[in-house]
Amino acid sequence: MTVQHDNTYAWEACCEREEELRTLRASSLWNRPELEDEARRLWEELLREEGHDEDEFDIEFDEVLSHYAGARKTFELFRDLRREDFRGIPDDVVLGSVPPAKAGPDTSPTPVEEDRFLNLAIVWPTSRRTVPDDRGLASRQRYELRLDIGEESGESLLAGQAEPFPDRRLPHEDDDGKGDWLEVTVISDDFAFPAKPRALYLPLKGASWVCPCPPGGRHHCEPEHRGRHLYIPFTAPDEPGPAGMRVFVAYRGNQLQSVTLTTRVAARESPGGATRAFVDYTLTSGFAELADLPERTAAVRVGCLPDGTMSLDVTAQDGPVATFWLSDHQVRDVLKKARAALYDCHAVWQGEGADRRPVNVLDPDNGKPRAALIEDMTKLAKLGWTFLQMIARGRTEREALSRVLREPAEIQICREELRHLVFPWGLLYDIPVESGASLELCAPGWEQVAQDGSARSCPAEPNHGLNALCPYGFWGYRHFIEQPPSVPRGRRLRLTAGRSGAAPALTVARSNRLDGELAERHLTLVGSGFGRVGVYDRIATLRGALVDDPGDCLYFYGHGRRPEDDTEYAGPTVLEIGHADRIVPQDLDAWAVAEGWARWEERAPLVFLNGCHTADHDPSAWLGFVDTFTGLHASGVIGTEITVDQGLASEFAEGFWKLLLAGEEVGPALHRVRMELLRKGNVLGLAYTAYCSAALRLRSTG
């Protein structure tokens, strides 16, 4: 590797990031006091080394960003100024070029980018003065929610404990690059809010504003036409007691930040109230580059209230849809019923006592006769309609949900970090059915499945009536549902897995307790599409492979089971490879201490847990592994929700890997394999879940 020691560069930049760093180095921003000396030194060394490829440069560059806050702020400011035609940067700096060396360091002052905050308050409509937080609200009284983004306000309910608003990760593509149009929605079961969505404009600098201009377009308003605050009217409930709401701020359907507000309502206003608010979610800790994220039709935020109740809020781009709360017991009950129903479509238990074991009811081609398929679909549809009513409890909410999600959509499930809560989203069925009725087959829908495995809608959808049985009534067959994992602050949601350029490599961890002939045939078929395949059946050799060269994809093909006792592992599932080697999430964290694990950050492998595992009814069955792998830089994790027969597990994986290697994204690939199984009478494609972006794809195929 050649090292350059003067102020010129004898080689072309290997990537856009290197061009940016060269320009930053030549600007006055390089001398900002906030930029740490060590970060400056590391970047200087990186600039003086020739021979990097794009991936190597990005990794070393991002390593500095991840360790030095001043470097992050400096680079964010640099990009902001570049979007504004480099105002504040010397005139002789041109993107992609390096100016002549100056006689001495440029010590001219540079602007310091200040944090901006979401401010929230309840005000009286006429005076628009702030209602004190210790004053109870009056039932049936009208109020307004006042909201803005800018300097932290002492009147804000979030004052003193608000998190900075993640504006630096916005793409600044609106109004000719001068700012961003944001969507504000409010959800409440207690207060009456208008369903109309609200727009808020956030310029590159300064405070947000509202104006009469159409959201998303250019501004034609004059400054005197603009309002400093967004006011959203609402009415307090009729009945006194505790009440709450949630406020969401989003960009193109991707949630940025949300706030929970709680208060008390009395017969009349009086002292003794307790209005409180807190930021409960900041999505950009895991979605660092919003410009790269595809637009989403709807989003579901899964969180936890201070009392431990689990909350689920459904929002869409055109306004709030629904909010509901579930106890841990309710969630476990839903998951138990969902997994039991899916498992009953796959196997029946036979025998007594020690001889009792599941027997696969699928035919040798992993299919079922038409009559058996209809029976399975009927059971799942009735269960799925029940689940839907837990989300959209009232008629109005169900109509709003139908309006947003009648057509094929992309739904984003946002789970708070370490919230081990899942919900059977793919099993939701939104065609009304009666519990004791015989369902009527939707012939056009079934014909569509037979004719087009990529289709996601029924041509006769407007004609669906009560008790109609159509495959596209299930969310898992109509929508792309992504459940991206929570990732550490400052890390971005991965949209690519593996390396660029080279043929992708596969690392396999296999069990020796499976049918050996079937396993060999399966792994040979899967491996034929990869450039290199390594198969491991012992912890020691697998650990070495994951540390030295993890590959672009990691495939666990084997058993998952419950721990033998409480001393083995506190979670519900362990991975088993070889004959009896067991892996728990803590083992992965221990392996990651090794220096070689740094390659995971470069590769960001996709992990597939294709387990013939114990039929766990615990909703957190795989989430310990999902969070651990994600924390160790995996791009995503795919797993099964129930015990899957080896033959079916093999077929699903073969179809999925083939599509992924052909350049397909994870969401469409999963959907296509589900539909192929459905075409031969098998509903168990719904048992597979992807904890990643639906837009994730292999980098080498992009």
Side-chain angles (χ1 to χ4, degrees):
M1 181 173 286
T2 303
V3 179
Q4 193 78 12
H5 292 291
D6 56 28
N7 290 325
T8 61
Y9 302 94
W11 58 87
E12 293 292 328
C14 68
C15 59
E16 181 182 354
R17 186 65 64 84
E18 185 172 4
E19 290 181 349
E20 288 182 315
L21 186 56
R22 288 181 178 183
T23 305
L24 172 61
R25 171 65 182 87
S27 76
S28 60
L29 297 181
W30 190 255
N31 300 304
R32 292 185 78 214
E34 291 82 4
L35 180 59
E36 298 89 349
D37 290 340
E38 181 63 14
R40 192 181 287 109
R41 184 188 67 80
L42 291 171
W43 272 346
E44 186 80 55
E45 290 182 356
L46 182 59
L47 284 173
R48 300 306 172 189
E49 294 179 350
E50 182 185 14
H52 288 291
D53 61 24
E54 180 177 353
D55 289 340
E56 291 172 341
F57 193 94
D58 284 347
I59 289 170
E60 292 193 35
F61 182 90
D62 289 341
E63 186 71 16
V64 176
L65 289 183
S66 67
H67 286 88
Y68 299 98
R72 288 195 299 274
K73 290 184 177 181
T74 299
F75 190 63
E76 289 165 0
L77 176 59
F78 166 77
R79 282 192 157 179
D80 284 346
L81 292 171
R82 187 181 60 159
R83 293 187 184 100
E84 296 183 75
D85 299 325
F86 288 85
R87 282 177 287 185
I89 295 182
D91 293 336
D92 54 355
V93 177
V94 181
L95 181 62
S97 70
V98 179
K102 297 184 182 295
D106 185 350
T107 58
S108 59
T110 58
V112 177
E113 190 172 21
E114 298 292 340
D115 287 330
R116 291 185 282 188
F117 297 86
L118 178 63
N119 295 305
L120 204 67
I122 295 175
V123 302
W124 287 290
T126 303
S127 67
R128 287 191 165 166
R129 295 182 62 182
T130 303
V131 178
D133 59 11
D134 61 354
R135 188 177 182 87
L137 304 185
S139 62
R140 304 181 186 179
Q141 179 70 40
R142 285 178 57 83
Y143 297 93
E144 290 182 336
L145 188 67
R146 187 182 68 201
L147 183 146
D148 72 272
I149 299 171
E151 292 184 4
E152 188 173 12
S153 169
E155 293 188 347
S156 173
L157 290 167
L158 300 170
Q161 46 98 22
E163 295 183 20
F165 189 78
D167 54 307
R168 294 174 187 138
R169 299 305 182 186
L170 290 167
H172 310 315
E173 296 176 347
D174 298 330
D175 195 27
D176 295 332
K178 298 175 183 176
D180 303 273
W181 283 100
L182 307 179
E183 307 109 28
V184 179
T185 60
V186 184
I187 288 180
S188 177
D189 271 354
D190 304 311
F191 297 102
F193 278 92
K196 178 183 176 182
R198 304 291 170 141
L200 184 70
Y201 184 76
L202 187 65
L204 295 179
K205 305 292 180 183
S208 61
W209 73 67
V210 294
C211 65
C213 299
R218 297 179 59 185
H219 280 286
H220 301 286
C221 59
E222 299 294 333
E224 53 267 25
H225 299 157
R226 300 168 184 169
R228 175 69 179 82
H229 299 98
L230 172 64
Y231 292 94
I232 305 177
F234 67 92
T235 304
D238 295 345
E239 299 297 329
M245 67 180 75
R246 276 197 177 75
V247 182
F248 299 88
V249 183
Y251 172 78
R252 288 170 47 191
N254 293 284
Q255 296 182 43
L256 296 174
Q257 200 168 68
S258 63
V259 173
T260 292
L261 186 152
T262 60
T263 188
R264 293 195 64 84
V265 175
R268 61 184 58 86
E269 287 186 10
S270 60
T275 302
R276 301 288 183 267
F278 61 92
V279 174
D280 56 25
Y281 196 74
T282 302
L283 188 63
T284 44
S285 64
F287 294 75
E289 296 294 340
L290 286 174
D292 296 333
L293 292 178
E295 189 168 340
R296 292 298 174 233
T297 312
V300 180
R301 188 187 70 81
V302 180
C304 182
L305 298 182
D307 63 0
T309 302
M310 298 174 185
S311 61
L312 290 92
D313 303 290
V314 185
T315 63
Q317 288 187 325
D318 62 348
V321 177
T323 182
F324 68 101
W325 294 266
L326 295 174
S327 68
D328 183 71
H329 173 76
Q330 287 177 303
V331 174
R332 291 177 184 275
D333 184 61
V334 167
L335 263 295
K336 182 177 180 179
K337 290 178 179 178
R339 290 174 174 171
L342 282 172
Y343 190 73
D344 288 345
C345 298
H346 189 3
V348 296
W349 289 88
Q350 295 183 356
E352 300 292 337
D355 295 327
R356 182 173 171 79
R357 56 178 48 86
V359 176
N360 185 15
V361 297
L362 302 176
D363 63 29
D365 192 37
N366 293 317
K368 274 189 176 184
R370 175 79 167 195
L373 170 63
I374 300 305
E375 182 179 351
D376 289 345
M377 293 285 280
T378 297
K379 291 178 181 178
L380 293 180
K382 292 181 177 181
L383 190 63
W385 171 249
T386 301
F387 292 163
L388 182 77
Q389 293 175 79
M390 298 180 69
I391 295 179
R393 295 173 177 172
R395 182 172 178 271
T396 302
E397 291 174 324
R398 286 193 289 274
E399 288 178 349
L401 201 64
S402 175
R403 184 186 71 253
V404 173
L405 299 176
R406 176 174 284 120
E407 299 297 327
E410 293 73 38
I411 305 174
Q412 179 188 91
I413 311 297
C414 310
R415 179 173 59 90
E416 284 186 4
E417 188 174 5
L418 303 180
R419 286 307 311 162
H420 287 179
L421 168 69
V422 294
F423 197 82
W425 302 104
L427 283 181
L428 292 179
Y429 190 77
D430 55 16
I431 301 175
V433 295
E434 296 173 308
S435 59
S438 297
L439 304 190
E440 182 179 352
L441 298 186
C442 173
W446 289 97
E447 291 174 5
Q448 182 82 317
V449 170
Q451 295 173 4
D452 184 0
S454 64
R456 295 167 55 203
S457 63
C458 174
E461 184 275 329
N463 299 324
H464 287 163
L466 180 66
N467 296 324
L469 182 61
C470 180
Y472 300 105
F474 289 95
W475 281 22
Y477 291 131
R478 189 167 81 248
H479 304 309
F480 293 156
I481 303 173
E482 63 181 13
Q483 301 192 52
S486 297
V487 301
R489 186 175 301 278
R491 290 250 305 275
R492 69 183 62 184
L493 175 69
R494 297 280 190 167
L495 297 181
T496 57
R499 302 162 295 174
S500 60
L506 177 68
T507 299
V508 180
R510 61 165 292 178
S511 169
N512 292 330
R513 295 192 178 190
L514 303 176
D515 181 293
E517 183 178 347
L518 176 57
E520 290 299 327
R521 184 166 61 250
H522 168 62
L523 293 178
T524 298
L525 182 59
V526 168
S528 64
F530 287 87
R532 176 176 56 81
V533 179
V535 181
Y536 305 92
D537 60 3
R538 295 178 58 199
I539 278 186
T541 54
L542 176 64
R543 180 179 63 241
L546 296 185
V547 171
D548 294 337
D549 188 355
D552 305 284
C553 301
L554 174 57
Y555 183 32
F556 281 87
Y557 179 67
H559 281 289
R561 62 167 185 78
R562 293 183 182 276
E564 291 183 351
D565 53 55
D566 292 339
T567 62
E568 182 179 19
Y569 170 49
T573 303
V574 300
L575 294 174
E576 187 175 85
I577 66 171
H579 292 287
D581 284 2
R582 300 156 193 153
I583 302 172
V584 300
Q586 290 91 326
D587 295 331
L588 299 170
D589 283 325
W591 301 352
V593 174
E595 182 177 349
W597 201 275
R599 296 182 181 87
W600 276 65
E601 186 171 0
E602 172 194 355
R603 298 289 180 85
L606 173 63
V607 180
F608 193 162
L609 306 177
N610 201 12
C612 311
H613 63 81
T614 301
D616 279 313
H617 297 313
D618 191 305
S620 61
W622 289 117
L623 290 184
F625 286 101
V626 171
D627 286 339
T628 299
F629 274 120
T630 302
L632 298 176
H633 295 282
S635 56
V637 180
I638 296 171
T640 56
E641 296 296 331
I642 63 168
T643 297
V644 178
D645 177 75
Q646 184 182 356
L648 175 59
S650 299
E651 179 178 349
F652 191 96
E654 288 161 11
F656 174 76
W657 288 125
K658 180 179 179 180
L659 289 167
L660 206 69
L661 289 166
E664 193 61 90
E665 297 174 349
V666 166
L670 280 179
H671 179 266
R672 186 60 184 260
V673 180
R674 284 174 177 168
M675 299 307 294
E676 291 299 326
L677 287 174
L678 182 62
R679 293 168 81 169
K680 56 184 184 180
N682 189 327
V683 299
L684 294 168
L686 295 172
Y688 283 83
T689 300
Y691 297 96
C692 60
S693 169
L696 179 69
R697 69 194 318 156
L698 289 179
R699 183 181 297 182
S700 59
T701 64

